[in-house]
Amino acid sequence: MARKTGSHAEITGPRIRDAALRLFAQHGYAAVSMRQIAAEVGVQAGALYAYTPDKQALLFDLMKGHMEHLLESWEAVEQPADPARRLEAFVRFHIQYHLDRPDEVFISYMELRNLEPENFTALETLRRRYEDALQGILTEGCAAGQFTISDTRVAVMGLIAMLTGVSTWFRESGRLSRSDVEQVYWDMTRRAVGRAG
Amino acid sequence: MARKTGSHAEITGPRIRDAALRLFAQHGYAAVSMRQIAAEVGVQAGALYAYTPDKQALLFDLMKGHMEHLLESWEAVEQPADPARRLEAFVRFHIQYHLDRPDEVFISYMELRNLEPENFTALETLRRRYEDALQGILTEGCAAGQFTISDTRVAVMGLIAMLTGVSTWFRESGRLSRSDVEQVYWDMTRRAVGRAG
DNA sequence: TCTTGAATTGAACGCTCGTTCAATGGATGC
DNA sequence: GCATCCATTGAACGAGCGTTCAATTCAAGA
């Protein structure tokens, strides 16, 4: 058998991860069988258990990996001092990242209820950290007198929902380019937080 | 046996509908069995088939019923002549409606991929009609010089995503009342479409 | 050439699934 | 009291589920 070590995986074979990602995104976690995933990889179902302890771990690895990578990627973005510029960076980053990874995004929003409680809590914590990054920007912008927001927490939830929604309708072959879309969402965001220019 | 008539149901017994709604919302369509639904109603699984032809019809009835009721409800709202007032009415209606029916909303966003193609198409059409209602308001507001929106289609998608998101985090027992939340979202919306007051 | 050892198979485990249907049983009208 | 009717039961169907594991395969090291 292959590795069963490293209890909290991320070591799951990349071919298995990719197959599970695609299938979970397309049909949903509960509707996809281990046999389907195995077939996609070109292997028998039993072989998967050399790489993952069970189906749940496969889902959790995907979701945890996605959130951690999202956080790391945002932390790697250079942060302008000006809150408005920082918000713009966030909006553009968020849209780019989400358009680049439609399957991960889909799973991370849709499959939360299929996580076992302990895994769910871990995911919530990661998500909360990301929301707090945006909340920090909004709070500073308000303090600096650049934004006018009656409730920054609601603004965070509203803006993230708005921006994340882009991945439900955007098509590469559509009327608008990515940078068009980025610009439109940034215009809306800028004005929603009460900044004219 | 009971009625099997009325091919495109809505006749599904209310007790069954309610049980299916609650269970689908909580665990997801694929993860809920007919036996679970039956147990919730207090009958054996076989009895369900007197009210619904199959499990898929149960899901489709719920989703179609929700979208049709949403459209009817919006059409019943009195429409102010002023585009900004009309937009305000839409925002407040949308939030109220979605907070009143968290389970229906959840299902209608999460279970689209579990619909058979023909049912999916029917749902998309209904959803599109609702989006078009908002798009009409935005277009008129632009024409009247009240709104400044670079792309009304993207604005529709962004605003609906933002507003619908409220049902993912709002708790009746939370810090804010419904009307607080309505007001905050309306403030953000108003400014996002480029209207100051 | 033989040995080792990990990767994979394929059968099997006990369950649960959606759906069907003959049998049942309890109310209703005569 | 009897016949009728029909909603409901409960067993059964074939299929597929997640998971396990003895047996096999096969490449690399001696």
Side-chain angles (χ1 to χ4, degrees), chain B residues 1-2 35 43-44 46-47 51:
Chain B
M1 278 195 195
R35 284 172 179 81
V43 296
Q44 295 297 317
Y51 300 92

Side-chain angles (χ1 to χ4, degrees), chain B:
Chain B
M1 278 195 195
R3 305 142 290 178
K4 269 205 177 172
T5 51
S7 63
H8 285 125
E10 256 143 279
I11 49 150
T12 311
R15 315 234 347 267
I16 297 177
R17 275 178 77 90
D18 290 353
L21 174 66
R22 190 168 41 254
L23 288 170
F24 287 166
Q26 192 163 124
H27 308 292
Y29 172 76
V32 172
S33 71
M34 293 300 267
R35 284 172 179 81
Q36 279 175 69
I37 297 169
E40 190 90 351
V41 176
V43 296
Q44 295 297 317
L48 299 182
Y49 290 84
Y51 300 92
T52 189
D54 54 26
K55 192 186 174 191
Q56 169 78 196
L58 220 42
L59 176 63
F60 182 58
D61 280 0
L62 288 171
M63 295 178 71
K64 178 160 167 273
H66 170 246
M67 281 309 296
E68 285 175 345
H69 187 248
L70 174 67
L71 278 163
E72 282 165 24
S73 301
W74 167 244
E75 279 155 18
V77 170
E78 199 207 333
Q79 301 288 322
D82 181 52
R85 288 261 162 283
R86 210 120 71 82
L87 181 58
E88 179 175 2
F90 182 90
V91 168
R92 294 189 186 275
F93 163 80
H94 188 93
I95 290 179
Q96 281 170 31
Y97 191 95
H98 280 64
L99 288 185
D100 281 341
R101 291 163 187 80
D103 286 348
E104 282 94 335
V105 168
F106 204 65
I107 287 180
S108 285
Y109 275 80
M110 306 285 271
E111 304 296 356
L112 281 169
R113 66 181 158 190
N114 286 310
L115 288 177
E116 286 158 11
E118 151 193 332
N119 291 341
F120 179 82
T121 303
L123 244 277
E124 283 254 284
T125 302
L126 288 169
R127 186 194 293 251
R128 182 61 191 238
R129 276 182 48 204
Y130 187 67
E131 291 166 4
D132 287 348
L134 175 55
Q135 181 146 15
I137 297 172
L138 297 185
T139 305
E140 285 179 39
C142 285
Q146 288 198 46
F147 303 156
T148 309
I149 298 169
S150 55
D151 190 299
T152 54
R153 186 75 203 143
V154 177
V156 164
M157 301 311 285
L159 291 178
I160 287 186
M162 179 176 83
L163 299 175
T164 303
V166 70
S167 62
T168 66
W169 62 265
F170 181 80
R171 296 293 169 263
E172 217 68 58
S173 59
R175 179 170 56 88
L176 300 170
S177 71
R178 282 173 175 239
S179 76
D180 291 340
V181 171
E182 247 179 58
Q183 189 62 46
V184 174
Y185 274 99
W186 165 233
D187 284 345
M188 284 199 289
T189 302
R190 171 166 33 90
R191 297 193 293 197
V193 299
R195 190 165 190 282

Side-chain angles (χ1 to χ4, degrees), chain A residues 131-149:
Chain A
E131 291 166 3
D132 286 348
L134 175 55
Q135 181 145 17
I137 297 172
L138 297 184
T139 305
E140 286 179 37
C142 286
Q146 289 198 43
F147 303 155
T148 309
I149 299 170

